[in-house]
Amino acid sequence: MSKPVIGLGGVLEKAPPTSAFPTFRRLFTNEGYLAKLQKAGALPILLPIASQADLECMVGLCDGILLPGGPDIDPSFYNQERHELCGPSDPDVDRYQIQLFHIARKLNKPILGICRGAQLINVAQGGTLFQDYRLQSVNPIIHPDYQRWDCVSHQVEVVPNSILSELFMTDSLGVNSLHHQSIAKPGTDCKVTAFSSDGSIEAIELSSGAWCTGVQWHPEAMGSEMDCLFEVFINEALA
Ligand code: MN
């Protein structure tokens, strides 16, 4: 059986001063996504920014699309003014990843969104974000918990009859939490499938079209207890 090809949306960043090429921008992804996809039996490839026609060709070569974590999405993409708590954004990357999403949907490719990727699915479907977790709740739990980046930071309540409830077979899941923004108004066909005790939306799935799930946590940074999420995505890509 041939391995499914998973295309990843990259993030642009200036190379650090210690790099041999500090003035260059580069497209990158974090190796955690690649390692988990490879462990699940996939061939991950990083998709460059390109024209609409070329992106359509590239997505056509893939069996699934992974939208990874990254910087904040520019608030203009969900028709809001920038709040002072919103972090830096790169509209070029936002535009290209939203294109990838829409092309993948058109071509019926399964999509897994992680952190920013989950937010991007929601924004592409017409939803909105909280520009900082402190704007959502007067008594929030600490969602940007960088000390516990690879282990459980808080629990999420999993909504029954969802992709996640069928996968993890539990109504409470321990997750890490490396986000300062979260989904506010769910977009078209975005079904909330997990939330935390302060009401923060922690996962969504699309109720129409090909398999599409977004999680606010970082399963690629956690242990093998999160491998099933990549496995089910790969199975969908093979189908
Ligand atoms: Mn969280």
Side-chain angles (χ1 to χ4, degrees):
M1 193 165 61
S2 64
K3 293 182 174 186
V5 176
I6 302 301
L8 290 102
V11 172
L12 277 175
E13 205 170 75
K14 227 180 130 188
T18 50
S19 162
F21 307 101
T23 56
F24 291 8
R25 277 209 308 181
R26 54 189 180 182
L27 188 75
F28 75 99
T29 196
N30 295 328
E31 60 184 356
Y33 304 113
L34 308 174
K36 287 285 195 192
L37 288 169
Q38 287 171 320
K39 189 178 177 190
L43 297 173
I45 58 171
L46 185 59
L47 304 179
I49 293 176
S51 68
Q52 173 75 17
D54 285 357
L55 286 177
E56 286 184 16
C57 290
M58 287 190 278
V59 174
L61 298 171
C62 298
D63 300 299
I65 295 294
L66 190 146
L67 298 168
D72 292 352
I73 296 166
D74 196 274
S76 64
F77 287 93
Y78 46 97
N79 297 315
Q80 284 185 10
E81 297 291 325
R82 172 174 288 272
H83 189 278
E84 61 184 356
L85 293 174
C86 186
S89 55
D90 185 335
D92 290 343
V93 173
D94 298 336
R95 202 171 295 109
Y96 134 86
Q97 290 193 353
I98 289 170
Q99 273 177 298
L100 281 181
F101 169 83
H102 286 303
I103 295 166
R105 293 292 289 167
K106 191 171 79 175
L107 299 180
N108 284 314
K109 308 285 183 180
I111 299 169
L112 176 60
I114 293 176
C115 196
R116 166 196 162 88
Q119 297 169 6
L120 191 110
I121 292 167
N122 191 59
V123 168
Q125 289 290 106
T128 64
L129 305 179
F130 288 112
Q131 294 189 36
D132 187 84
Y133 73 109
R134 289 162 287 186
L135 301 171
Q136 173 179 16
S137 165
V138 287
N139 207 3
I141 57 177
I142 305 301
H143 289 282
D145 184 4
Y146 295 106
Q147 259 80 53
R148 288 180 284 185
W149 63 275
D150 63 346
C151 58
V152 173
S153 173
H154 64 73
Q155 297 289 313
V156 297
E157 188 171 325
V158 180
V159 175
N161 302 312
S162 63
I163 289 171
L164 291 181
S165 71
E166 281 175 28
L167 185 62
F168 289 100
M169 293 195 287
T170 181
D171 54 11
S172 179
L173 191 62
V175 301
N176 57 0
S177 192
L178 302 168
H179 60 110
H180 89 103
Q181 297 194 327
S182 62
I183 291 169
K185 182 175 80 71
T188 304
D189 290 343
C190 292
K191 176 185 160 186
V192 175
T193 58
F195 50 90
S196 50
S197 60
D198 58 359
S200 181
I201 293 173
E202 289 276 341
I204 56 169
E205 66 184 53
L206 292 189
S207 55
S208 63
W211 191 96
C212 180
T213 300
V215 296
Q216 189 56 73
W217 62 93
H218 280 265
E220 84 286 0
M222 295 182 73
S224 57
E225 73 275 18
M226 285 292 160
D227 289 0
C228 59
L229 188 53
F230 295 92
E231 287 161 6
V232 70
F233 172 50
I234 296 313
N235 281 339
E236 291 292 329
L238 276 169

